[in-house]
Structures are given as structure tokens and as C-alpha cells.
Amino acid sequence: MSVRVLLVDDQALIRTGFRMILEETPGVEVVGEADNGRAALRQASTLAPDVILMDIRMPQMDGLEATRLLTAGESPSRVLVITTYDLDEYAYAALRAGASGFLLKDAPVSELVSAIHAVADGHAVVAPRITRLLLDTYAHRLPDVKGDPARARLQGLTPRERDVLLEIARGLTNAEIGVTLSISEVTVKTHVGSILTKLALRNRVAAVILAYELGLVD
């Protein structure tokens, strides 16, 4: 079954480019387009896409507010934010708003397609460059998680779950973690789910930031 994608960008040429690429990609179906966040809400309600490819800066309603509303409902949408190389506060805030992933607009087509499928499957995807920029630029603005509650939750991880957390923080995919730790990708997915539950985190992006904040990686 194809992943149903909604394109949201205020620039028609960008939307057309993404549509042309994705319509040539097996397993992906573009079901609609929107040129601002408000239109995205209407389209998402009508079309029920699996993944919403979301720009950030748009008129009427930006991608940040749209992401917050789309991920807050009883049947939350999965949003994959497409941002520029020059990371800004909107991209950081979208993470807090519930975006499932971030990619750069100059990402290879294969990376874009893989990210769409990963997000559709319920995973979070962040380009390594963006993870690094998020941490370098905004980690100091995150709430202090170095106290006892976070440490206590961390102690609840098994040794293998801790290993997986470290590899997540290094930006590895589930498949790469499986190879590194000599375990199956299915087992990695199970560990990731357990880690997020035990640490009370929304997704693996938040796990990356927590790992850096706690000094598990640098």
C-alpha cells in the first residue's frame, strides 16, 4: 500500500518539484497540496494523509502552528518538516510542537523517500546535520533535564537499551544500529519503543537531545 502524502509549501514551484519526484516513486502517492498551514488543516481533515510534508514559513498560518494543531488531535497526523540548511527557531519549535522529523530541502531523493516511509511507520527521522545544528544552537534553551527524575528514568533502562540509546544519539538508523550491535532491526525497533516509554519521550529526536543533555554523548 502506498504512503499517502500531503505537500504543504507556499511556493508553487517547490510543491511541483516534490510532486514530480514523488509521483515517480513507487510506494508513495501525493494526495493533495496546500500553500499555507490553514489550508493544510482543511486538506488533512479531508484527505487523511499518512505523512504531511510541511514547510515552516508560510502566510496565514505557519508550519509551526499547523504542526501543533495537526499533532494534538485524537488522530494526530505525522508531520515531516522540510527546512533550509540555515536552521532557525521555527524548526526548533516545530520539534517541540510534535513534528516527526526534519530534513533539509537539498536532501537526496533517496533520503526523502526513506524518511517519508519511516515517518509513516511511526518513527522519527532527523537529518544528522540538523540534529547537530539543533543541539549546537538550541540545546542551551531546553529545560534542565539533569536532575534526579531524568537520571532515575535513565537507570530504568536495560544495558542493551542504553546501548541503543547511545547509537540513536549518534544519529544511526534502526538498520545501522542493528548492524553495529549485531541484533535484528525488529529487535532494535522493540528497544526504541521501550526506551521512549521508559524515558517518557515523544520520539527519538527527543531521545537524542536528552542523551546530549545528560552527557551520554558529546
Side-chain angles (χ1 to χ4, degrees), residues 147-168:
D148 292 337
R151 293 287 182 186
R153 294 199 303 272
L154 191 63
Q155 294 303 314
L157 299 182
T158 66
R160 178 57 82 188
E161 288 170 348
R162 191 182 179 96
D163 291 340
V164 172
L165 175 60
L166 291 175
E167 301 308 327
I168 291 173

Side-chain angles (χ1 to χ4, degrees), residues 175-189:
E176 291 169 339
I177 293 173
V179 172
T180 299
L181 299 181
S182 299
I183 56 179
S184 72
E185 187 173 353
V186 172
T187 300
V188 174
K189 291 180 180 179

Side-chain angles (χ1 to χ4, degrees), residues 34-168:
D35 60 3
N36 63 72
R38 197 175 304 279
L41 295 178
R42 293 194 299 268
Q43 292 275 48
S45 177
T46 301
L47 300 171
D50 300 310
V51 176
I52 300 173
L53 215 57
M54 181 76 73
D55 188 24
I56 291 294
R57 298 188 179 188
M58 297 179 291
Q60 298 189 41
M61 180 186 290
D62 64 22
L64 170 59
E65 180 65 8
T67 296
R68 186 183 66 79
L69 294 173
L70 287 164
T71 59
E74 293 183 1
S75 300
S77 299
R78 290 168 178 160
V79 177
L80 176 59
V81 171
I82 305 295
T83 186
T84 61
Y85 182 77
D86 295 323
L87 190 69
D88 57 20
E89 291 191 22
Y90 286 105
Y92 167 75
L95 168 62
R96 290 303 188 195
S100 294
F102 290 95
L103 282 183
L104 301 172
K105 285 188 175 178
D106 63 353
V109 173
S110 60
E111 186 175 336
L112 171 63
V113 173
S114 294
I116 288 173
H117 282 288
V119 169
D121 288 337
H123 304 298
V125 177
V126 179
R129 284 187 291 171
I130 293 182
T131 299
R132 183 68 263 171
L133 286 168
L134 276 170
L135 293 166
D136 287 346
T137 309
Y138 298 109
H140 69 283
R141 302 188 186 184
L142 295 171
D144 183 11
V145 296
K146 297 182 179 179
D148 292 337
R151 293 287 182 186
R153 294 199 303 272
L154 191 63
Q155 294 303 314
L157 299 182
T158 66
R160 178 57 82 188
E161 288 170 348
R162 191 182 179 96
D163 291 340
V164 172
L165 175 60
L166 291 175
E167 301 308 327
I168 291 173

